Amino acid sequence: MYNTVDTLNEFIIERQADFPYAKGELSRLLTHIALAAKVVNREVNQAGLVDILGTTGDINVQGETVQKLDDFANTKFAIALKGSSECCGIATEESQDIIKFDTDMAKDGKYIICIDPLDGSSNIDVNVSIGTIFSIYRRISPRGHVAQLQDFLQEGTKQVAAGYIIYGSSTMLVYTTGRGVNGFTLAPSIGEFCLSHRDIQIPLNGSIISANEGYYKQFSAGVRRYLDYCKDIDEETNRPYSSRYIGSLVADFHRNLLKGGIYMYPPTEKFKTGKLRLIYEANPMAMLVEQAGGMAVDHDGGRIMDLVPNDLHQRVPLYIGSRNMVEKLNDFIEEEEEQK
Ligand code: AHG
Ligand code: MN
Ligand code: MN
């Protein structure tokens, strides 16, 4: 006897009916992402056992040290996406330029993917949750040819799907195709992602703030005032809020999505336009949060998904999470601007 479970593959096929003109390409692409996720998960799980910990000694395009697992995840996802034949190219955190897949099958692919193969790299060596973030767009350039840069510089509103994998106390894949957000937990014994979180809704109000408060003094006056407000005692609004910051966007976002909260990465001295990358970190999370009823804006209160990217690795300030919390923070930032 076993309980019936909806596996990711079954769910993807069922949901295909939501898109009457879909021919299954997106479904196949998602299936390949899930497969690569399992391979990466296997390595993440044994990171302490095999000689995969530590750095490769290389510096990536962001000027950061590349971890072996960054490299590993990047390669595995690239192979899976190329092999899916539905994807003509990718933009990844680990490469300066887009990667064009040049097989005949891939050139005919309808989609492109923006990916952060390993998010939260600084947490790998200390056994803290890390993740993968992905975003899928329909290409603009004609099929039958290699992908072009313009395919990757589309507004977030053009995403056809977005999601992440969290390698945590259990491994989950959470994704949206624009009809709500669903979460799947990997059942290690059968090697399948099983539907565990149906139609996720982020609470309108939350009581968790996630920010690297080590940079508090570098934040703008409005952001600082909001953080002070969060620490004030007020029974009616359930303050003070709790502070939770892991330093892996995926893990911080995932917790806030389920429990309610706000994640923020404001401009700092070092990262004057914020640290997080628009196309493979902010946009996919923005699509997920909006699909779950939340909100994602930049420092001017502009919707993240409306921004027109002009660079693959463009950074953006990010305020994302429960709608009422993001709006409140926005009010504080606006007030600060008015006083200037
Ligand atoms: P990545 O590991 O892909 O480079 O991303 C790290 C990002 C994000 O995951 C995290 O929230 C943020 O950097 C943490 O930055 P700080 O250490 O400056 O707080
Ligand atoms: Mn990242
Ligand atoms: Mn990364």
Side-chain angles (χ1 to χ4, degrees), residues 17-39:
D18 285 352
F19 304 92
Y21 304 109
K23 296 196 194 83
E25 292 114 326
L26 182 60
S27 301
R28 272 196 294 280
L29 197 49
L30 288 165
T31 307
H32 277 82
I33 291 174
L35 184 62
K38 286 188 216 172
V39 175

Side-chain angles (χ1 to χ4, degrees), residues 70-332:
D70 286 292
D71 242 11
F72 180 86
N74 193 39
T75 309
K76 291 298 167 201
F77 277 101
I79 292 171
L81 295 170
K82 187 174 182 182
S84 76
S85 306
E86 311 299 348
C87 173
C88 61
I90 59 170
T92 153
E93 182 189 351
E94 305 304 332
S95 306
Q96 180 77 58
D97 300 315
I98 58 170
I99 297 174
K100 303 172 182 183
F101 297 149
D102 54 7
T103 60
D104 285 344
M105 297 273 270
K107 279 198 279 191
D108 208 34
K110 194 163 145 187
Y111 297 102
I112 63 98
I113 300 232
C114 303
I115 188 160
D116 178 354
L118 222 286
D119 174 68
S121 311
S122 67
N123 283 322
I124 297 172
D125 286 1
V126 288
N127 214 344
V128 172
S129 298
I130 51 181
T132 296
I133 312 173
F134 62 90
S135 166
I136 305 178
Y137 291 82
R138 225 166 264 120
R139 71 190 295 180
I140 303 172
S141 61
R143 289 172 78 171
H145 302 269
V146 288
Q148 299 295 319
L149 180 61
Q150 67 194 50
D151 296 325
F152 298 84
L153 300 180
Q154 303 187 56
E155 301 96 302
T157 48
K158 305 270 169 57
Q159 291 171 104
V160 291
Y164 59 83
I165 296 109
I166 176 166
Y167 312 100
S169 43
S170 59
T171 295
M172 279 187 73
L173 188 150
V174 177
Y175 84 100
T176 179
T177 52
R179 306 270 169 110
V181 180
N182 290 283
F184 300 80
T185 303
L186 183 64
S189 55
I190 55 170
E192 292 277 5
F193 281 105
C194 300
L195 181 60
S196 52
H197 297 64
R198 191 184 283 275
D199 198 17
I200 299 171
Q201 294 286 318
I202 185 167
L204 208 53
N205 290 297
S207 54
I208 296 174
I209 39 167
S210 311
N212 187 336
E213 291 204 50
Y215 307 136
Y216 177 87
K217 289 189 176 168
Q218 302 173 39
F219 295 159
S220 70
V223 174
R224 286 202 311 267
R225 243 179 261 136
Y226 174 73
L227 286 169
D228 296 342
Y229 159 89
C230 293
K231 290 167 188 160
D232 287 341
I233 299 171
D234 178 49
E235 244 176 67
E236 209 176 302
T237 50
N238 210 14
R239 284 176 293 146
Y241 298 150
S242 285
S243 190
R244 295 279 186 276
Y245 189 74
I246 292 170
S248 297
L249 172 64
V250 169
D252 282 307
F253 178 87
H254 181 70
R255 181 202 51 243
N256 293 357
L257 179 69
L258 299 182
K259 294 201 184 277
I262 184 171
Y263 173 97
M264 60 182 99
Y265 209 111
T268 60
E269 278 301 311
K270 185 173 174 198
F271 296 112
K272 298 212 161 32
T273 58
K275 182 184 181 192
L276 299 173
R277 277 60 57 103
L278 175 59
I279 71 165
Y280 46 81
E281 289 179 319
N283 266 335
M285 293 315 205
M287 182 178 185
L288 286 158
V289 88
E290 285 197 12
Q291 282 295 317
M295 202 171 163
V297 299
D298 66 2
H299 197 72
D300 304 317
R303 186 184 180 205
I304 289 289
M305 287 204 290
D306 281 338
L307 299 172
V308 184
N310 50 41
D311 185 89
L312 287 182
H313 304 286
Q314 182 174 338
R315 297 179 193 263
V316 67
L318 179 65
Y319 306 103
I320 186 167
S322 294
R323 176 167 289 274
N324 288 349
M325 296 181 87
V326 177
E327 275 174 353
K328 189 78 185 172
L329 167 60
N330 228 1
D331 292 345
F332 275 90

